[in-house]
Amino acid sequence: METVAQTSISRRGFVKLGMFASAVAAMAGTATSNLIEVEPALADESGETQKIRTICRACLNNCGMIAHVRDGRVVKLEGDPGDPMNKGAACAKGLAGIQALYNPNRIKYPMKRVGERGSNQWERISWEQAINEIADVMWEYYQKEGPKCLVTSTGGGGNPQFFSPARFLSVWGGGNFFEPGCAQCYLPRNHMEFCLNGTADTSLADGPVTEVYLPDCQTKTYVMWGVGPSTHGIGSTGRVVTELRNNGMKTVVIDPRLTPDAARADVWLAIRPGTDVALMLAWMRYIIDNDLWNKEFVTKWSNLPFLVNEETRLTYRADELGLGSHDEYVIYDNKTKSVKAMPYPFDESLDPAMFGSYELPNGKTARTAFQIMKEHVDEWTLEKAAEVCWLDAGEIEEAIKIYVEGCPNAGISLGVATDQARNSAQAAQGDAVLDILMGCIRVPGAIVQDRPCYVEPCNYVVQPFGLHHPDHPLKMPEAEANARLGYTEHKGLGHWLASHIPTVLKAIETGEPYRPRIWIERSGNKLAMIGNASRFYDAMMTTDLNVHMYMHWTTTSVCLADYVLPTAEWLETNYAQDRLNTYAIRRACTQLYEAVDECMHWSWLAAALAERGHQRAIDSFNPDIAGKFYGTYWKTYEEYMDYVGYFVGSFYYGTEDWDWATFDAQAPSEYETIEQYAQKSYDSHLEPDENGLPVGFHTTSKRTEPYFDGNILLGLTGAVDGSGSMDPATDVFPASDNYNPLPYYLEPFESPVEGDPGYDANYPYVLTQGRLPIFHHGTLRNTPWTRELWPYPEAWINPETAREIGIEDGDWLWLESKRGKTQGRARVTKSVAPKVIYQERFWNPELLDSDDPNRAWQAMNINLLTQNNDECPFNDVYGTYTLRGVCINVTKADGAPEGVWTEPKDFTPWLPEPSENTGGGNAVYGA
């Protein structure tokens, strides 16, 4: 980095090997043979070591950790044996926390670009200058163009403050929010599965699946569909699944890679990426045709017996046919051979027909929802699914039988893999349908449970105003909410208040329907995480102001930002997290440089806008307007901490008078016994309501809805769930095609199957990706020991495919799609299906200070190959673009990309840099 003024800071070449000998005291344990051997540094024996119980946030698992702090410095990390989920286990990501905390590549102070954007020239400025200069630009555009000028974004990986940007937009009064996961990671499952089962999604990584952690877990069969707990969450999810499998739980793994979990599964189905829904439809047909479905549950607690209007595709209400009230649905009664109203919850005198087509009182005919489903899946024989998915029909059948044998004390966890393909919504529907058919909901051992954190607002303490209260005065105005880019066509995005990334890019490129001018980003490296990264870079280079908030310098900050604001590492922040029946606490162990928790970035910007006359910003500091549930914006970090204490106390411990000190004094602690926690989910739909009737499920019908006609209503009105608990958008234009009540299969747009419309002989192989045990999304590429373990992205290639291409293990490769070209290194292995190439997303921090910093996101980044533009269709409900199942070509390269680090000694400059506890940015600035 060039020195451009006396106050400027240079990062290029400032790290030397000898500078870090004393810093190795921060590393616990001994280096293994493939790590750098260094002389151990002796800690100050006179200093007293304090052990602080806290929570890791190196990934979504939030494992309990113990931080050893001496003389104000964190010197050791270990897993917390008292945590009910990880029980003392800790993975490489968590243990790398010290290397991330004291990393020489941290953003230490607010920085302002000097020179051309992307020139990597910076000067240090004060927080006051940074906030005021940014606010000046925002206020200028707000007065000229209104709130649509602003785009905010975040990343889901290491960020517990996920909804902070959306909260700020609700105060701002409009604009757009996106997150590169969202439609590509978790939103389809988080929204769609809940809509169908009225309970929770099945994500093992994100937290809803708590059943497996119970001391007497009764899960008999666990299907991990695109899920790899032994790689994505070693300390918690990986540990518990291994333990249960060792105790006799059967497992099925569906993944094109032989992951550690697949290697020990009873059946491994090495599916072709992007074809999951085809396999799900075959499972449905097999279960229906072989009469394996749960008769009692499906008959009484699903909408499959209901008759469907063939014109609207909505289930009939009794008042439409003069048979009863609007709250009642319509069935065909086998006893009386007539169409009847079905009162809630069930009429034992009736015998609903599950299949068939029947004449209605109005002379029309109608099929049951189950009959429509049966006909819908009829073409999907095991043989057809095997052909489409590149599997063996006999192995598919064996997998189904194992799943069925364990039901209802079983279930399917759907992973991120299906969220990253064209059929994302449909895969989430398929997963939910299968568990409903088998009754795997709210019974001991079932994966789908109704536990406290999914009844209450759960683990995101900081929430957008009005998310749960549609009449809140600081909720984003309806007209502005409906103007979010891409929302009209992909209304499922409304569940997370999000915009559609490709549509945001198109608006920046074309100015239609309006042009966002300002981008404020809080996460690591969008250029590594967003599909078709070159398009994203080109668009964001044309905005008028880019602000990046993060802990470390990345390509987003160096190549795209105008201002860079330091955020705190997890060891510097205070927060809260539910852990089964326990509420745990993240305690700040130290605070370095001028970094602050991101909640203060947004608060300080709101305060600066309030000073300039922004009325909604003024109101966000008024407790009478903001209210206690959401809290005001915070003038000090202590105010924020007290809000966290209040939130946890009021929603989990039944008291309104907690502050941070009260929470801190007793956390972590149980808010109920583990027995109470477990039992309150089982058969919870049978608990009586105020009228003595069963409360049912969180859906419109109070039953599970595997025939999800609410999908049609979502497309027509913007109502984001079946229960109507969130305010529908009343003036949203209907989509051109209604969303489908049943899951359906679409062949990937780029197909490796000769004869398919998307086939191109120039790109014969299928690219997929997945999580690694030592990184989470784009994080930790700049911590030395994690990079020594995985210095470059491996391209896994089956030996059969390698022979076809003409490459050998260890060769450097070119991977190329219609959108770009990048490199990887061959790992020839039978651990991946033939014709499938697996490579992880990657970026190279060592290239940030080179003559061309853009190479840091270009050299070995498969997101140069993936898709997020109009040439490939998006998912209808969520607008998902394609990250898995992209077709590519592979050729041999002459060698590694120039300048990338591949050897252990290369990473020495990133060893921890001793730093004092400064109190962070909170100590030097108060808005």
Side-chain angles (χ1 to χ4, degrees):
M1 183 172 302
E2 297 179 25
T3 302
V4 297
Q6 190 172 1
T7 56
S8 298
I9 292 178
S10 169
R11 294 196 309 113
R12 176 181 293 173
F14 82 104
V15 181
K16 303 296 182 184
L17 174 61
M19 293 174 61
F20 299 100
S22 63
V24 185
M27 299 298 108
T30 350
T32 53
S33 59
N34 62 327
L35 300 179
I36 302 171
E37 292 189 12
V38 296
E39 291 296 322
L42 298 177
D44 182 358
E45 295 296 333
S46 64
E48 181 181 352
T49 299
Q50 180 186 13
K51 294 184 179 180
I52 299 176
R53 296 184 75 180
T54 187
I55 315 165
C56 180
R57 187 65 187 195
C59 76
L60 296 170
N61 273 246
N62 295 294
C63 292
M65 298 287 276
I66 297 176
H68 296 238
V69 180
R70 185 181 306 153
D71 297 329
R73 293 179 183 169
V74 184
V75 298
K76 179 181 177 181
L77 293 172
E78 61 180 331
D80 184 352
D83 186 273
M85 298 179 76
N86 63 298
K87 296 184 176 180
C91 73
K93 297 191 294 290
L95 297 177
I98 292 176
Q99 293 194 347
L101 178 68
Y102 295 109
N103 196 291
N105 291 310
R106 284 205 59 178
I107 300 170
K108 301 174 182 178
Y109 314 101
M111 305 289 281
K112 180 180 180 180
R113 174 176 58 81
V114 181
E116 296 297 319
R117 186 179 285 176
S119 63
N120 204 11
Q121 298 176 356
W122 304 91
E123 64 175 351
R124 176 181 173 179
I125 59 176
S126 69
W127 269 108
E128 183 175 15
Q129 180 182 346
I131 293 297
N132 279 297
E133 289 185 2
I134 293 167
D136 281 342
V137 177
M138 296 176 70
W139 184 237
E140 176 188 354
Y141 276 107
Y142 181 86
Q143 290 178 302
K144 290 190 301 184
E145 301 183 9
K148 294 183 182 67
C149 63
L150 178 61
V151 174
T152 66
S153 59
T154 191
N159 180 17
Q161 304 279 23
F162 179 82
F163 277 123
S164 274
R167 175 186 173 95
F168 183 81
L169 284 186
S170 66
V171 171
W172 176 253
N176 292 274
F177 157 68
F178 71 84
E179 191 265 322
C182 192
Q184 286 73 228
C185 175
Y186 195 30
L187 173 58
R189 291 169 289 143
N190 176 255
H191 179 220
M192 191 60 71
E193 291 179 21
F194 172 81
C195 285
L196 271 68
N197 64 38
T199 301
D201 64 78
T202 60
S203 172
L204 185 61
D206 297 272
V209 180
T210 57
E211 187 73 5
V212 294
Y213 293 99
L214 299 181
D216 57 348
C217 175
Q218 299 179 47
T219 304
K220 296 177 181 178
T221 300
Y222 196 11
V223 179
M224 289 171 276
W225 203 308
V227 175
S230 294
T231 55
H232 75 229
I234 298 172
S236 289
T237 57
R239 179 199 63 77
V240 74
V241 169
T242 298
E243 186 177 290
L244 292 172
R245 188 171 49 222
N246 290 343
N247 291 334
M249 181 181 75
K250 292 187 176 183
T251 60
V252 172
V253 172
I254 301 167
D255 197 307
R257 305 165 299 149
L258 185 67
T259 63
D261 296 291
R264 297 192 62 193
D266 294 276
V267 175
W268 169 42
L269 297 179
I271 192 169
R272 171 163 70 98
T275 64
D276 302 85
V277 177
L279 185 59
M280 291 174 175
L281 296 172
W283 281 41
M284 290 177 207
R285 174 182 166 154
Y286 187 91
I287 288 169
I288 294 170
D289 284 358
N290 289 280
D291 206 30
L292 300 173
W293 48 281
N294 188 316
K295 310 298 186 301
E296 176 78 8
F297 183 82
V298 172
T299 302
K300 291 186 175 181
W301 287 107
S302 85
N303 68 353
L304 290 179
F306 297 167
L307 296 176
V308 176
N309 186 318
E310 300 285 356
E311 296 174 0
T312 66
R313 303 178 74 191
L314 301 174
T315 49
Y316 272 111
R317 300 298 187 104
D319 60 346
E320 294 179 69
L321 300 172
L323 297 173
S325 72
H326 187 71
D327 292 335
E328 296 176 315
Y329 293 83
V330 179
I331 57 98
Y332 180 82
D333 178 30
N334 285 322
K335 290 181 180 178
T336 62
K337 305 299 180 185
S338 63
V339 175
K340 297 281 189 181
M342 174 60 77
Y344 178 80
F346 192 77
D347 185 342
E348 295 289 350
S349 69
L350 301 176
D351 177 20
M354 301 304 294
F355 300 99
S357 178
Y358 304 96
E359 186 174 345
L360 303 174
N362 61 9
K364 297 181 179 180
T365 59
R367 292 171 292 170
T368 66
F370 212 172
Q371 178 66 31
I372 294 173
M373 178 181 289
K374 178 180 172 63
E375 294 174 13
H376 182 72
V377 302
D378 186 60
E379 66 177 300
W380 288 100
T381 63
L382 298 183
E383 291 72 23
K384 178 172 180 176
E387 180 183 0
V388 168
C389 303
W390 296 354
L391 297 171
D392 177 81
E395 291 180 352
I396 297 175
E397 183 175 28
E398 184 183 358
I400 299 172
K401 287 181 176 179
I402 290 174
Y403 167 60
V404 169
E405 286 169 6
C407 295
N409 314 108
I412 302 168
S413 267
L414 199 61
V416 67
T418 59
D419 286 343
Q420 299 188 339
R422 185 182 179 186
N423 265 175
S424 62
Q426 292 70 36
Q429 286 179 270
D431 174 29
V433 168
L434 288 168
D435 276 344
I436 291 169
L437 287 177
M438 300 312 303
C440 297
I441 299 177
R442 303 189 188 183
V443 296
I447 297 305
V448 180
Q449 297 290 350
D450 195 22
R451 294 269 156 70
C453 69
Y454 291 90
V455 175
E456 303 298 353
C458 84
N459 56 11
Y460 288 122
V461 175
V462 176
Q463 299 184 48
F465 292 103
L467 180 63
H468 297 276
H469 302 87
D471 57 347
H472 194 283
L474 288 176
K475 181 185 178 182
M476 185 183 292
E478 186 174 19
E480 294 293 341
N482 292 341
R484 288 175 300 208
L485 294 165
Y487 167 64
T488 298
E489 282 300 308
H490 309 293
K491 297 186 188 70
L493 291 167
H495 186 61
W496 280 8
L497 311 178
S499 303
H500 185 228
I501 295 173
T503 308
V504 170
L505 297 181
K506 180 180 283 188
I508 294 172
E509 293 162 347
T510 67
E512 296 296 334
Y514 54 86
R515 189 175 189 273
R517 305 283 186 174
I518 301 167
W519 175 41
I520 302 180
E521 148 70 354
R522 188 282 181 219
S523 72
N525 201 347
K526 289 289 185 285
L527 290 167
M529 296 297 107
I530 284 185
N532 194 0
S534 296
R535 182 195 184 194
F536 184 83
Y537 171 80
D538 290 343
M540 291 307 183
M541 281 294 284
T542 69
T543 52
D544 294 351
L545 174 66
N546 291 339
V547 179
H548 187 214
M549 308 171 177
Y550 198 53
M551 293 86 74
H552 303 267
W553 291 90
T554 73
T555 63
T556 300
S557 44
V558 169
C559 301
L560 289 174
D562 304 309
Y563 291 86
V564 176
L565 306 180
T567 58
E569 277 284 348
W570 61 269
L571 284 161
E572 301 171 290
T573 61
N574 298 287
Y575 205 59
Q577 179 69 46
D578 58 318
R579 306 286 290 166
L580 292 185
N581 61 318
T582 296
Y583 222 95
I585 188 170
R586 180 175 296 114
R587 295 180 172 97
C589 301
T590 187
Q591 289 180 312
L592 307 181
Y593 317 117
E594 292 186 12
V596 294
D597 190 312
E598 75 163 84
C599 68
M600 299 312 298
H601 294 72
W602 301 106
S603 294
W604 291 344
L605 283 172
L609 290 166
E611 289 177 359
R612 286 156 177 78
H614 191 295
Q615 187 59 51
R616 292 173 68 92
I618 295 170
D619 293 343
S620 71
F621 289 91
N622 185 336
D624 293 331
I625 295 176
K628 292 191 74 174
F629 177 90
Y630 297 100
T632 63
Y633 264 129
W634 306 281
K635 296 179 180 178
T636 68
Y637 198 49
E638 288 71 24
E639 288 182 1
Y640 157 79
M641 292 161 60
D642 284 342
Y643 170 74
V644 174
Y646 154 76
F647 187 94
V648 174
S650 61
F651 282 96
Y652 286 85
Y653 293 86
T655 176
E656 293 283 323
D657 58 359
W658 275 21
D659 56 13
W660 180 263
T662 313
F663 181 32
D664 181 54
Q666 56 79 56
S669 66
E670 295 183 351
Y671 55 84
E672 61 187 353
T673 67
I674 192 66
E675 291 77 18
Q676 291 171 326
Y677 176 84
Q679 291 297 325
K680 73 189 317 176
S681 174
Y682 303 147
D683 291 331
S684 56
H685 55 290
L686 301 179
E687 292 294 319
D689 64 13
E690 63 275 9
N691 299 315
L693 295 175
V695 294
F697 294 86
H698 305 294
T699 64
T700 304
S701 67
K702 297 186 180 181
R703 303 153 173 99
T704 62
E705 298 183 356
Y707 180 85
F708 184 51
D709 53 355
N711 229 4
I712 295 174
L713 299 176
L714 170 64
L716 292 175
T717 69
V720 294
D721 65 15
S723 69
S725 63
M726 297 187 186
D727 192 31
T730 56
D731 59 354
V732 176
F733 295 105
S736 55
D737 296 304
N738 285 336
Y739 305 150
N740 204 305
L742 292 171
Y744 57 88
Y745 174 67
L746 293 174
E747 177 68 17
F749 182 72
E750 296 179 352
S751 173
V753 179
E754 190 169 357
D756 283 348
Y759 175 74
D760 187 331
N762 295 311
Y763 304 98
Y765 306 109
V766 183
L767 178 68
T768 192
Q769 54 181 283
R771 292 176 177 170
L772 296 171
I774 51 178
F775 304 128
H776 186 62
H777 298 311
T779 64
L780 301 177
R781 300 304 198 283
N782 63 345
T783 53
W785 287 5
T786 55
R787 273 292 299 276
E788 289 164 24
L789 290 169
W790 199 276
Y792 46 78
E794 294 181 350
W796 291 15
I797 302 178
N798 187 278
E800 175 185 318
T801 309
R803 286 192 296 270
E804 181 178 301
I805 299 171
I807 57 174
E808 297 180 356
D809 190 68
D811 283 346
W812 283 94
L813 309 174
W814 284 108
L815 291 78
E816 184 174 8
S817 77
K818 293 180 179 180
R819 286 158 294 280
K821 187 175 183 180
T822 197
Q823 286 196 252
R825 194 171 190 180
R827 167 68 67 89
V828 178
T829 172
K830 292 182 179 178
S831 295
V832 67
K835 299 284 187 182
V836 174
I837 311 296
Y838 160 74
Q839 183 165 309
E840 182 51 81
R841 300 159 292 179
F842 214 83
W843 70 282
N844 296 82
E846 63 268 30
L847 297 177
L848 286 176
D849 288 323
S850 67
D851 293 334
D852 183 6
N854 284 311
R855 293 189 62 245
W857 62 272
Q858 294 170 340
M860 296 189 286
N861 178 16
I862 62 166
N863 271 326
L864 292 173
L865 316 182
T866 53
Q867 170 267 328
N868 78 352
N869 52 338
D870 292 337
E871 70 182 32
C872 302
F874 309 116
N875 179 260
D876 52 355
V877 183
Y878 302 105
T880 306
Y881 54 73
T882 303
L883 294 175
R884 304 198 193 199
V886 171
C887 285
I888 65 169
N889 191 27
V890 179
T891 55
K892 186 175 179 179
D894 293 334
E898 182 181 355
V900 301
W901 294 354
T902 61
E903 299 300 324
K905 61 180 176 58
D906 294 338
F907 305 102
T908 303
W910 291 345
L911 284 170
E913 180 180 69
S915 307
E916 298 297 329
N917 185 339
T918 65
N922 300 289
V924 298
Y925 179 62

